[in-house]
Amino acid sequence: MTQVTRHLIARSDGARVELFQARSPAAASAGAILFVHGNQAGQRLGAVENVDNGTLLRFSAGLNITAAAVSQPGFGASEGPPDFCGPGTQQAILAALSFLRKQPYVDPGRIVLCGNSRGAVASAMVATQVADLRAVVLMSGVYDLEAAFEGSPQGLQLAIEKEAGLSRDAFLARSALHHAHKIRCEAMLLHGRRDDRAPVAQAELFAQALSDAGLPATLSLFDCGHQIPRDYVRAALHPFLRGIFAPAVTLH
């Protein structure tokens, strides 16, 4: 029976990082997927959200892999402060990837990173720093934070200013569009055409930048807002992940 376990690991500066994982007992040197959550409407639950909504169990059992989720700094039990997808958040994700890579039941060549909303912003930046990712999945993300800032809702602007600051360097450290040439893995982008928090043009520009860099990049657009319905996500991800985590799998 697949079980979910909780782990407290350390990022490079020693700060605590919370990670949950579900491992199928039948999995032997199989792949892994790491989920990075979004903003969570101020609740700051962290990665336990992916446990409570069944995501880890569904993906682990359906794909016969290890499914994990990491809490960003300031969320869940991960030590903060939150830095709006900045270096601390990126270090937490890197620590989680390193943890998975070292597990004897994980094939380090088949690890997929999947970020949603602010998790996609940070995951895209992490993908520029990791050479051995198999793929990155980015949902409802922003990839040029400075360009998107002026048109963002006031609450989002305040969060960015408080957590990251408004310097050019701060924006560049959170804007994967300017580092797209450093990414080495396949990418899938999922985005709502009516997203009022992350303009769809952001996804279109980033997908084009990845393609221009010679990377396989797929952009799937949906008739929805910032929150992409689960059925839409599942329909897009199923064939993509099935190809990565073959043999044949079934998502429930």
Side-chain angles (χ1 to χ4, degrees), residues 6-207:
R6 178 176 179 264
H7 306 265
L8 295 176
I9 60 178
R11 67 190 199 198
S12 59
D13 61 359
R16 182 177 62 193
V17 176
E18 180 183 51
L19 178 142
F20 293 87
Q21 70 168 3
R23 176 197 170 203
S24 171
S29 192
I33 186 168
L34 176 66
F35 293 97
V36 187
H37 61 82
N39 193 47
Q40 302 179 322
Q43 296 184 63
R44 299 195 180 277
L45 300 173
V48 74
E49 175 184 65
N50 296 104
V51 178
D52 293 343
N53 64 21
T55 295
L56 296 191
L57 288 176
R58 282 198 311 274
F59 276 79
S60 178
L63 293 165
N64 194 32
I65 60 168
T66 294
V70 61
S71 296
Q72 298 181 43
F75 291 76
S78 286
E79 293 180 337
D83 65 351
F84 204 90
C85 316
T89 301
Q90 294 167 35
Q91 287 175 27
I93 299 170
L94 288 167
L97 289 171
S98 179
F99 174 86
L100 290 174
R101 199 178 292 115
K102 294 174 182 176
Q103 303 311 305
Y105 43 82
V106 171
D107 178 352
R110 288 194 295 165
I111 297 178
V112 175
L113 179 60
C114 181
N116 178 53
S117 191
R118 69 187 277 163
V121 178
S123 294
M125 285 301 302
V126 167
T128 72
Q129 303 167 51
V130 179
D132 61 352
L133 272 182
R134 176 61 181 81
V136 61
V137 177
L138 306 168
M139 299 184 289
S140 305
V142 164
Y143 311 105
D144 186 340
L145 190 58
E146 186 172 20
F149 179 80
E150 290 302 326
S152 297
Q154 185 178 26
L156 182 56
Q157 288 183 335
L158 292 174
I160 293 171
E161 183 173 9
K162 178 181 178 180
E163 295 184 24
L166 303 180
S167 70
R168 176 64 174 163
D169 286 345
F171 282 124
L172 280 175
R174 296 160 174 83
S175 299
L177 180 66
H178 300 286
H179 311 276
H181 62 285
K182 301 175 186 176
I183 296 177
R184 294 290 178 266
C185 65
E186 187 172 359
M188 168 171 270
L189 284 73
L190 311 179
H191 216 96
R193 292 188 178 91
R194 296 182 280 107
D195 194 326
D196 61 345
R197 297 176 66 84
V200 66
Q202 289 270 323
E204 293 171 334
L205 287 171
F206 191 47

